[in-house]
Amino acid sequence: MRRRPLPEHLAPVFRVAEGIEAGVAPDRLRARALDRSVWGMRGITPAATLTDRCALFAKRLRDDASLSHTTAALLYGVPLDHRYERDPRLHFTVPAPARPPHATGVIGHHARLGGDDVRTLHDLRVTSPARTWIDLATMLDLTDLVAAGDALTHCAAPWVGHAEVRRAVESYRGRGIR
């Protein structure tokens, strides 16, 4: 028996509630062909890449949530220690004083984010390269932090310049800045 196609407006990622509202049968929403790895969410195709997994979670979280920390670094192509590259959990930050997200597979943070602290990358809200580097300072040792900074500033097409990183460091107040 051939399954009915999903309504086009649901692609590529949608909430289960949106599927029900669109008249999709519950058994169709449980189909193995759909990505069901994030509670309450469905993907038209399996989430094979980090970007795919981020899209599933991002749709579930608040509109002002941004991918951050090691997740943002990996999206920018920053090479990290294997323990971070293999960690399936995704880091999201919401603007303070909002409460950080709580969900299986997510590490939530809250921080004061300025207008230059968030960008769009792969159609996802991501902390800026400079802000990402500052956030990494709370997690990485000095050698790995320097390597991450080099990856953000010295590649063929750098994500951020030294002056922007310097301004971000000078304006930041919080954990990891020393």
Side-chain angles (χ1 to χ4, degrees):
M1 181 169 138
R2 193 161 171 251
R3 293 197 181 272
R4 287 184 61 199
L6 294 168
E8 286 184 27
H9 74 277
L10 293 178
V13 174
F14 62 95
R15 290 183 171 91
V16 169
E18 293 170 332
I20 292 169
E21 188 176 291
V24 178
D27 65 325
R28 178 67 174 104
L29 292 170
R30 290 189 296 271
R32 291 181 192 221
L34 297 177
D35 187 305
R36 300 174 294 152
S37 62
V38 176
W39 185 88
M41 299 301 302
R42 294 297 181 265
I44 300 299
T45 58
T49 66
L50 175 63
T51 303
D52 294 340
R53 287 185 25 247
C54 291
L56 275 169
F57 271 106
K59 177 95 172 167
R60 182 172 177 225
L61 298 174
R62 307 164 45 118
D63 289 341
D64 59 356
S66 302
L67 291 149
S68 62
H69 295 77
T70 55
T71 304
L74 291 169
L75 288 170
Y76 284 120
V78 173
L80 297 175
D81 184 282
H82 289 300
R83 68 181 163 187
Y84 297 116
E85 289 182 353
R86 291 182 181 146
D87 188 348
R89 298 173 298 173
L90 302 176
H91 289 261
F92 280 90
T93 296
V94 295
R99 295 184 57 102
H102 292 103
T104 302
V106 171
I107 298 174
H109 307 272
H110 62 120
R112 297 196 192 289
L113 298 174
D116 294 336
D117 288 336
V118 178
R119 294 204 178 145
T120 301
L121 180 66
H122 308 299
D123 293 326
L124 299 165
R125 285 177 54 90
V126 180
T127 52
S128 69
R131 178 59 197 227
T132 297
W133 188 74
I134 288 171
D135 290 339
L136 290 175
T138 66
M139 302 176 71
L140 304 180
D141 64 30
L142 182 59
T143 303
D144 289 339
L145 185 62
V146 169
D150 284 345
L152 289 167
T153 61
H154 287 99
C155 59
W159 288 103
V160 65
H162 291 103
E164 187 178 343
V165 171
R166 191 174 303 111
R167 280 192 305 276
V169 169
E170 289 169 354
S171 67
Y172 180 76
R173 301 288 177 259
R175 191 171 149 238
I177 199 63
R178 187 174 74 92

